[in-house]
Amino acid sequence: MKVDVHNLVGEKVDTVELPPDIFEVTVNTGLMHQALIRQMSNARLGTHKAKTRSEKRGGGAKPWRQKGTGRARHGSRRSPIWVGGGKAHGPVVRGHGKRMPRQMRQAALRSALSEKAASDQIVVVDELKMIEPKTKKMEEILMVLVPNAASSLVVLPDTNDVVEKSVRNLSWASTLRASYLNIRDLIGHDALVLPLASLEAIRSHLGRQV
């Protein structure tokens, strides 16, 4: 698949061939969903905790005698059915992490990139370079490159403080290093802005080794 390469003012300067083994694979939505659930689960802290009746303070004395009062029998004021009692079957501290083989994670990324390419949601630029951080200037650049996108993800080949700071204050755009490409960010943004250097980084990371 060939796509146009633009400069920062939106002019076509060249064309580039997207690697078919990354951007033209069969889209596997089930695998993409599995990778997304895995990433969101791994982001959970799992620090939620509710005290059981054995962890609550007090409740050592029987509230009243077993028989003869006409009331229901109780053995502790910290029973889950009492106000101030413990929680029955409440949340406990645990890990929510899920495992997924690397080959499956990469295949999910290829599916997401192929879906973006098929939907014309990938914009390739020759280079993304700025002298100093300017949010307004970056907004103008992105509005020219992706005018109809509700949200944009700028994929950088390496750390670029100037570009990252320029995008930081835009609520509808974000940046990400090519080596940190993940399924959640790909699905969560409408358009993908790829400098040529980022395209090469993705090729080396996701390209199939022969």
Side-chain angles (χ1 to χ4, degrees), residues 65-147:
R65 66 178 188 269
Q66 182 80 351
K67 294 179 177 294
T69 64
R71 291 181 288 182
R73 53 195 176 188
H74 289 289
S76 172
R77 298 181 187 273
R78 294 298 167 253
S79 171
I81 65 175
W82 281 62
V83 174
K87 179 72 174 178
H89 311 296
V92 296
V93 177
R94 67 184 183 92
H96 294 274
K98 297 180 182 293
R99 301 188 63 183
M100 192 175 184
R102 179 173 57 88
Q103 292 84 352
M104 293 179 65
R105 299 197 305 267
Q106 291 182 342
L109 292 177
R110 294 189 192 101
S111 290
L113 290 171
S114 298
E115 186 177 34
K116 292 289 185 187
S119 303
D120 294 327
Q121 294 178 331
I122 295 180
V123 178
V124 180
V125 296
D126 52 357
E127 62 177 352
L128 193 58
K129 185 182 296 184
M130 299 180 66
I131 300 176
E132 58 180 346
K134 287 292 183 181
T135 301
K136 185 174 180 60
K137 179 63 176 177
M138 179 57 67
E139 183 179 16
E140 293 173 355
I141 292 174
L142 294 180
M143 290 299 291
V144 170
L145 294 175
V146 284

Side-chain angles (χ1 to χ4, degrees), residues 193-206:
V193 179
L194 289 178
L196 287 175
S198 298
L199 186 59
E200 290 301 320
I202 293 176
R203 189 200 307 268
S204 63
H205 179 57
L206 296 178

Side-chain angles (χ1 to χ4, degrees), residues 20-71:
D21 59 338
I22 300 177
F23 294 90
E24 295 183 50
V25 303
T26 302
V27 177
N28 189 335
T29 55
L31 185 61
M32 292 167 57
H33 178 265
Q34 184 178 348
L36 178 63
I37 294 300
R38 175 238 174 210
Q39 182 176 348
M40 296 178 66
S41 296
N42 290 348
R44 296 181 64 179
L45 296 178
T47 55
H48 41 16
K49 178 69 172 70
K51 290 185 178 181
T52 63
R53 61 185 297 168
S54 64
E55 296 169 324
K56 280 287 189 174
R57 183 177 180 181
K62 189 174 175 64
W64 50 76
R65 66 178 188 269
Q66 182 80 351
K67 294 179 177 294
T69 64
R71 291 181 288 182

